[in-house]
Amino acid sequence: MASVPSLASSVNQRVADALASALPEAGGADPLLRRSDRADFQANGILALAKKAKANPRELAATVVGGIPTGDLIQEIEVSGPGFLNITITDRAIIETLAARAGDDRLGVPFAANPGTTVIDYAQPNVAKEMHVGHLRSAVIGAAMVEILEFTGEKVVRRHHIGDWGTQFGMLIQYLLEHPHELDHKSDVEVSGEEAMSNLNRLYKASRGLFDSDEEFKTRARARVVDLQAGEPQTLELWQRFVDESKIYFYSVFNKLDMDIQDPDVVGESGYNDMLVETCELLEESGVAVRSNGALCVFFDDVKGPDGNPTPLIVRKSDGGFGYAATDLSAIRDRVGKLGATELIYVVDARQSLHFKMVFETARRAGWLNDGVKAVQLAFGTVLGKDGKPFKTREGETVRLVDLLDEAVERATAVVREKAEKVGLTEAEIVENGQYVGIGAVKYADLSTSASRDYKFDLDQMVSLNGDTSVYLQYAYARIKSILRRAGDREPVAHPELELAPAERALGLHLDHFGELIAEAAADHAPHKVAAYLYQLSSLFTTFYDQCPVVKPEPELVVGENRLFLCELTARTLTKGMSLLGIRTPEKL
């Protein structure tokens, strides 16, 4: 596996070397190279350097140009405006670089220079509660970040911080104790997620009804919370039944989402119970937390309530109970101390931003986060309905995630079926592709929007073959596969000696940018950058295919082989990029 330097980095190096020899005091200065519509690249760094060195920018630019060799990598350089450099690459360099990429199973994408260990907290459903549309984004964005970071060589530890603790369990456990068969399964056959959830729903409603109407039951339920927190064996055993039943349901939903969630990665709130007392002691002893009205609190100068009084982070309540903060701080201690994290990423709703800001600051004051360990919240916006308001059913209920995914697959299957005869799909392939297209559509709509923004959930748009949708990308991939099949015995071969058409050059330069794009998406925690890159790749391929005949009318042999080579590398880049987003690419569509 050999990483391939991109054309941009090679050009950047040449310009930087020429800059350093023209202006030695500017050694190591950044030429500020970027893609340009006037040439292949434009270097803008000379202006600022000339100003600093009190030199004439156009004269400095001319000196730099004189020191850059041309012919192999760079075809021509011209000075434009007040000292910009417009740089055009040779056709040979484009194809040779792409050929090197094609020869590597990682497409020449380098590993990160100093990989660390990232613990990523995502997909956090609640035990005994149904997953709704609000759970979608954390799961989808988190899973994509895991894939992108792992591809760069980072060691990634997944953590699903499920809501499996708290006062509501007193009510549920007490009810199950008094009605022991409520979670029994109809048969020994594997239980479906749907059956598990309907068991839990039924039990939740019944126990809630009793809790609200029967004072004696309410008293027993509250006493049960104390037993749970004290670790009383029978109470814990019944609590575990709720967790296990919920997992059957969770895994069935993640399965529908085509996501791999492993049991050891599910460490809920309960996983940190043994650390809570010690976390509070450490905070109090170090003076990070102080007693206020009987509660253990951490105060911040810049966090005040509407009345102007400081709003603290409450680590332990005055009744001795622990809040979310104690659990989250214990989780940080565990992830840094035991798992050796150098970075913590929390894929959590933007509405919890203040909580996490306070938790991270507290952990920094306590020394659990430092220069060697950073924590970030990858905050995401809300899923909206077509009307631009938070997504609800007609009855005003939150939308069940399962219903949403089923409908997406149903719509997608109809779209696939329309074209099935033309490409000769069997019924089994129609069903399978319907799954891939439907789930891909939901994931892509989420991932093609910057995480922090809200987005509209519009299934008609999502499964459309036109526009910025995953189906458009999946269709581009399937189309290339069909071109390669139709080419028969003609092979994809790179021919660096050829002159390239404008559409071939544009496609080639974009293919070469894949590695830099992945590094940027990983560093910025921005899967939407991968989605944008892939959409542009598909658009550039469409233009290339329209303007440059590949199979019909048949071009001369070497031109055809070179174009088949560009087709094949585009397909490999598309399928790799899509897999990083958790989206499958069917061979026929």
Side-chain angles (χ1 to χ4, degrees):
M1 291 202 295
S3 70
V4 177
S6 69
L7 292 163
S9 66
S10 303
V11 170
N12 202 57
Q13 192 58 53
R14 294 250 173 125
V15 179
D17 291 348
L19 249 175
S21 75
L23 197 67
E25 64 267 35
D30 185 354
L32 298 179
L33 193 77
R34 61 179 182 84
R35 289 296 304 275
S36 163
D37 45 11
R38 290 195 174 78
D40 295 333
F41 296 101
Q42 188 175 66
N44 300 338
I46 290 175
L47 286 177
L49 286 173
K51 199 174 172 186
K52 218 168 163 183
K54 301 198 167 31
N56 176 318
R58 273 193 77 93
E59 282 171 20
L60 177 60
T63 311
V64 170
V65 169
I68 297 177
T70 56
D72 56 342
L73 168 67
I74 294 171
Q75 189 173 321
E76 62 170 330
I77 311 179
E78 54 166 32
V79 178
S80 88
F84 300 129
L85 300 185
N86 285 339
I87 302 166
T88 305
I89 305 285
T90 64
D91 291 349
R92 171 175 287 277
I94 293 175
I95 296 299
E96 281 177 348
T97 301
L98 295 183
R101 292 199 177 288
D104 177 50
D105 58 0
R106 286 177 56 84
L107 300 168
V109 176
F111 286 108
N114 298 303
T117 298
T118 294
V119 177
I120 180 160
D121 185 325
Y122 70 107
Q124 312 104 340
N126 292 312
V127 165
K129 285 191 179 161
E130 196 138 21
M131 288 174 74
H132 56 78
V133 68
H135 290 111
L136 179 67
R137 299 207 72 185
S138 174
V140 169
I141 295 166
M145 271 322 302
V146 167
E147 294 298 328
I148 291 167
L149 288 168
E150 283 190 333
F151 187 54
T152 66
E154 186 78 1
K155 179 186 174 192
V156 180
V157 182
R158 302 154 170 83
R159 276 292 172 265
H160 308 294
H161 191 86
I162 62 172
D164 64 356
W165 205 249
T167 51
Q168 76 276 17
F169 283 100
M171 168 182 100
L172 294 167
I173 293 166
Q174 189 59 36
Y175 189 86
L176 186 58
L177 193 68
E178 294 172 17
H179 304 80
H181 299 295
E182 283 298 300
L183 283 184
D184 291 357
H185 297 140
K186 295 189 187 99
S187 67
D188 295 337
V189 188
E190 199 178 332
V191 186
S192 70
E194 206 54 47
E195 186 192 329
M197 196 60 238
S198 78
N199 275 346
L200 290 164
N201 267 339
R202 192 182 60 247
L203 200 148
Y204 187 85
K205 282 187 181 131
S207 63
R208 182 87 244 177
L210 203 55
F211 187 85
D212 290 343
S213 62
D214 181 337
E215 282 303 319
E216 287 176 9
F217 176 77
K218 187 184 271 188
T219 306
R220 293 197 297 279
R222 286 189 170 146
R224 188 60 56 187
V225 177
V226 179
D227 293 339
L228 177 65
Q229 286 170 342
E232 193 273 316
Q234 186 191 19
T235 305
L236 276 182
E237 194 184 310
L238 291 170
W239 166 80
Q240 190 63 49
R241 283 190 67 188
F242 282 100
V243 175
D244 293 343
E245 192 78 6
S246 298
K247 279 184 177 176
I248 296 172
Y249 162 69
F250 296 158
Y251 294 161
S252 75
V253 179
F254 291 128
N255 206 22
K256 259 188 215 277
L257 263 172
D258 196 12
M259 268 173 62
D260 181 32
I261 302 254
Q262 298 291 335
D263 220 41
D265 302 333
V266 179
V267 183
E269 294 167 7
S270 64
Y272 306 100
N273 282 348
D274 295 347
M275 301 173 71
L276 300 178
V277 171
E278 191 184 21
T279 295
C280 292
E281 285 170 356
L282 290 169
L283 290 171
E284 194 168 11
E285 283 162 16
S286 61
V288 172
V290 294
R291 297 267 165 192
S292 173
N293 298 329
L296 188 61
C297 303
V298 182
F299 288 91
F300 309 87
D301 295 341
D302 56 346
V303 184
K304 297 193 167 50
D307 56 2
N309 290 329
T311 304
L313 181 72
I314 299 174
V315 186
R316 192 166 196 173
K317 301 175 207 160
S318 52
D319 65 3
F322 299 99
Y324 287 124
T327 307
D328 287 333
L329 288 161
S330 299
I332 289 176
R333 285 177 56 212
D334 178 72
R335 291 165 185 182
V336 175
K338 288 202 191 121
L339 301 176
T342 48
E343 178 167 48
L344 305 174
I345 302 176
Y346 290 77
V347 188
V348 185
D349 190 317
R351 287 171 293 199
Q352 293 188 43
S353 294
L354 179 60
H355 168 77
F356 279 100
K357 185 181 158 198
M358 290 158 82
V359 165
F360 295 160
E361 175 55 29
T362 301
R364 261 191 294 276
R365 289 180 191 176
W368 305 326
L369 293 176
N370 50 40
D371 292 344
V373 189
K374 60 176 179 173
V376 283
Q377 182 193 359
L378 208 176
F380 55 82
T382 309
V383 181
L384 307 172
K386 283 187 194 177
D387 57 3
K389 297 187 177 126
F391 200 16
K392 297 269 196 271
T393 63
R394 287 206 179 93
E395 297 73 44
E397 302 283 319
T398 43
V399 180
R400 293 170 69 214
L401 187 48
V402 174
D403 295 342
L404 206 75
L405 300 177
D406 288 346
E407 192 183 345
V409 169
E410 203 178 299
R411 295 275 191 97
T413 308
V415 171
V416 171
R417 196 176 289 284
E418 267 172 44
K419 292 187 173 291
E421 208 171 310
K422 199 170 150 196
V423 287
L425 294 180
T426 63
E427 183 58 30
E429 286 171 325
I430 292 172
V431 170
E432 187 176 80
N433 286 359
Q435 295 272 344
Y436 295 164
V437 172
I439 297 303
V442 171
K443 288 182 176 178
Y444 188 83
D446 196 312
L447 294 169
S448 57
T449 310
S450 162
S452 57
R453 290 176 47 204
D454 301 343
Y455 80 96
K456 284 186 186 169
F457 196 94
D458 179 351
L459 271 179
D460 294 329
Q461 173 52 36
M462 287 180 191
V463 297
S464 162
L465 289 168
N466 305 313
D468 189 1
T469 64
S470 70
V471 197
Y472 175 69
L473 306 186
Q474 287 167 323
Y475 189 63
Y477 175 78
R479 187 182 189 185
I480 300 172
K481 287 307 223 179
S482 144
I483 293 164
L484 294 169
R485 285 192 296 271
R486 287 209 314 272
D489 52 6
R490 272 173 296 158
E491 291 289 321
V493 181
H495 285 283
E497 72 279 6
L498 290 175
E499 195 176 313
L500 298 177
E504 292 173 306
R505 290 182 61 88
L507 178 61
L509 285 165
H510 193 66
L511 283 167
D512 184 55
H513 181 54
F514 185 58
E516 288 163 325
L517 173 277
I518 294 299
E520 197 181 313
D524 299 346
H525 307 134
H528 70 277
K529 291 187 173 179
V530 177
Y533 171 89
L534 296 172
Y535 175 59
Q536 201 183 345
L537 179 61
S538 303
S539 306
L540 288 167
F541 177 78
T542 304
T543 307
F544 154 78
Y545 189 63
D546 288 346
Q547 293 177 7
C548 305
V550 180
V551 180
K552 285 180 180 167
E554 192 173 319
E556 66 168 289
L557 184 64
V558 288
V559 173
E561 286 180 341
N562 198 58
R563 286 177 182 169
L564 282 170
F565 161 74
L566 286 171
C567 287
E568 188 177 64
L569 188 59
T570 302
R572 282 179 59 195
T573 307
L574 261 177
T575 198
K576 181 71 228 174
M578 293 288 266
S579 77
L580 295 178
L581 299 180
I583 299 172
R584 295 187 188 246
T585 39
E587 301 284 305
K588 289 182 184 172
L589 202 56

